[in-house]
């Protein structure tokens, strides 16, 4: 079975990027309608494509200037111009839509589809871009956690729906990604910015057998299911965590305050 190497180098300050011997990835950033993480400018600079999910554009417009209090808000808004705004467009304010449209941002009104979330619509757009086809794509999602639980679960469902795309849900406090059972996984821990608290959670179906190394409470051919054992409040011990499982798992790890 093939191995996937994971490494949160996108959280490292630019001079060290890319740090270890992890894969060379092409990052796309999606901003959601939630308070933006403090490290959003870092993600922005590391991304090749920047997309706002509907009301995520309000967050960019309102909150990015607050991260640069010594600079003029207009200058910051012009510097942080999204490539695309996509969604059902019921949350973006008219002035924000007009501002970014005037700057040349592409807008896609997908209000006809009331069965998928704005994040789903944005990831589908990124997946279907022709010139990203052969690239090693990784979608970073800012503002995905905290707030309404139905939205959080909807965001996790996007990980499962697009299970062959690397997608990482981020907040100021933690990240979540899917570890598909189709591969073995090696997670290179960036201990300056993440850890030590972590979790491994079966998603969709129980896991009959999960085996890990590098954790304080390693699993050895262990069963995990809701209503039984799941691995929360675990702690990263080594620089590398390995995971192999017979079913898909969520990996979550805490993000350190700057
Ligand atoms: N409280 C939240 N917690 C987590 N994610 C959120 C939250 N609010 C919004 N999002 C994410 O941001 C995206 C865009 O948000 P927006 O408010 O524009 O969506 P919406 O379709 O108007 O939501 P709804 O109609 O359900 O309130 C959502 O698809 C979701 O992924
Ligand atoms: C069974 C079922 N439950 C909820 C919705 C509502 N819904 C799900 S995603 C979405 C778009 C949000 O931007 C909306 C309105 C539905 N369609 N089907």
């Amino acid at each position: 079975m093939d191995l996937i190497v994971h490494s949160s180098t996108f959280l490292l300050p630019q001079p060290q990027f890319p740090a270890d011997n992890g894969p060379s990835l092409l990052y796309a950033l999606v901003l959601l309608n939630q308070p933006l993480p403090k490290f959003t400018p870092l993600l922005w600079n590391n991304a090749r494509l920047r997309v706002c999910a509907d009301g995520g554009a309000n967050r960019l417009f309102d909150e990015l200037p607050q991260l640069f209090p010594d600079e003029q808000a207009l200058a910051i808004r012009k510097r942080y111009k999204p490539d695309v705004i996509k969604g059902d467009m019921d949350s973006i304010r008219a002035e924000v839509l007009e501002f970014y449209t005037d700057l040349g941002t592409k807008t896609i009104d997908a209000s006809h589809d009331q069965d998928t979330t704005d994040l789903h619509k944005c990831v589908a757009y990124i997946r279907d871009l022709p010139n990203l086809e052969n690239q090693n794509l990784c979608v970073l999602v800012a503002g995905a956690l905290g707030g309404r639980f139905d939205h959080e679960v909807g965001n996790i469902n996007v990980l499962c729906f697009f299970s062959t795309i690397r997608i990482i849900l981020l907040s100021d406090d933690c990240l979540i990604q899917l570890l598909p059972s189709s591969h073995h996984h090696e997670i290179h821990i960036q201990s300056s910015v993440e850890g030590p608290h972590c979790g491994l959670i079966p998603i969709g179906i129980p896991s009959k057998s999960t085996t890990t190394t590098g954790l304080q409470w390693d699993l050895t051919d262990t069963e995990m299911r809701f209503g039984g054992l799941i691995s929360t409040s675990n702690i990263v011990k080594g620089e590398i965590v390995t995971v192999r499982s017979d079913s898909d798992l969520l990996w979550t790890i805490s993000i350190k305050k700057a």
Side-chain angles (χ1 to χ4, degrees):
M1 194 178 283
D2 286 343
L3 176 77
I4 301 183
V5 174
H6 308 268
S7 184
S8 307
T9 51
F10 52 83
L11 286 174
L12 296 174
Q14 204 113 40
Q16 299 160 41
F17 173 83
D20 63 14
N21 53 0
S24 168
L25 299 176
L26 186 147
Y27 291 104
L29 174 63
V30 181
L31 302 184
L32 300 185
N33 191 12
Q34 269 286 290
L36 295 180
K38 306 265 180 305
F39 48 77
T40 300
L42 192 63
L43 305 181
W44 186 281
N45 293 335
N46 288 335
R48 181 83 68 83
L49 180 78
R50 294 98 177 195
V51 181
C52 290
D54 190 5
N58 298 340
R59 302 296 180 156
L60 183 65
F61 188 90
D62 295 339
E63 294 175 19
L64 244 283
Q66 294 168 17
L67 298 176
F68 300 93
D70 299 336
E71 295 185 57
Q72 285 204 324
L74 182 62
I76 296 298
R77 287 178 184 137
K78 286 183 172 168
R79 192 188 309 160
Y80 291 90
K81 175 184 91 68
D83 298 293
V84 178
I85 301 171
K86 183 172 180 185
D88 57 9
M89 301 307 207
D90 59 353
S91 301
I92 187 170
R93 302 196 305 274
E95 52 152 343
V96 175
L97 182 57
E98 188 183 348
F99 179 85
Y100 289 122
T101 310
D102 288 350
L103 284 185
T105 295
K106 180 186 173 90
T107 60
I108 306 169
D109 182 338
S111 53
H112 57 278
D113 173 3
Q114 288 298 307
D115 288 341
T116 65
T117 66
D118 294 325
L119 173 59
H120 183 115
K121 292 175 173 87
C122 289
V123 174
Y125 170 81
I126 294 166
R127 176 199 58 190
D128 295 340
L129 282 173
N131 42 359
L132 297 185
E133 260 165 9
N134 299 317
Q135 308 274 359
N136 206 353
L137 176 68
C138 178
V139 182
L140 306 174
V141 184
L145 309 161
R148 262 172 53 190
F149 186 62
D150 63 328
H151 271 309
E152 293 182 297
V153 174
N155 296 337
I156 289 170
N157 188 44
V158 167
L159 301 182
C160 300
F161 189 94
F162 298 98
S163 62
T164 58
I165 304 178
R166 287 177 190 254
I167 304 174
I168 302 177
L169 304 180
L170 290 147
S171 71
D172 267 319
D173 299 311
C174 71
L175 67 77
I176 303 180
Q177 65 187 93
L178 188 76
L179 303 181
S181 60
S182 52
H183 290 75
H184 295 159
H185 300 275
E186 200 172 273
I187 305 165
H188 293 211
I189 305 299
Q190 299 298 329
S191 56
S192 63
V193 289
E194 66 182 353
H197 300 285
C198 65
L200 273 175
I201 299 153
I203 185 83
I205 55 169
S207 159
K208 286 199 189 69
S209 171
T210 297
T211 299
T212 67
T213 63
L215 300 175
Q216 178 156 339
W217 288 276
D218 269 321
L219 304 162
T220 310
D221 192 16
T222 306
E223 179 177 344
M224 287 198 289
R225 62 183 170 88
F226 277 88
L229 175 87
I230 62 171
S231 178
T232 58
S233 300
N234 212 327
I235 290 179
V236 165
K237 278 294 166 197
E239 285 179 4
I240 294 179
V241 172
T242 68
V243 181
R244 46 181 70 193
S245 179
D246 67 335
S247 69
D248 293 353
L249 303 178
L250 295 176
W251 164 253
T252 181
I253 185 164
S254 54
I255 292 178
K256 290 180 174 164
K257 300 280 176 227

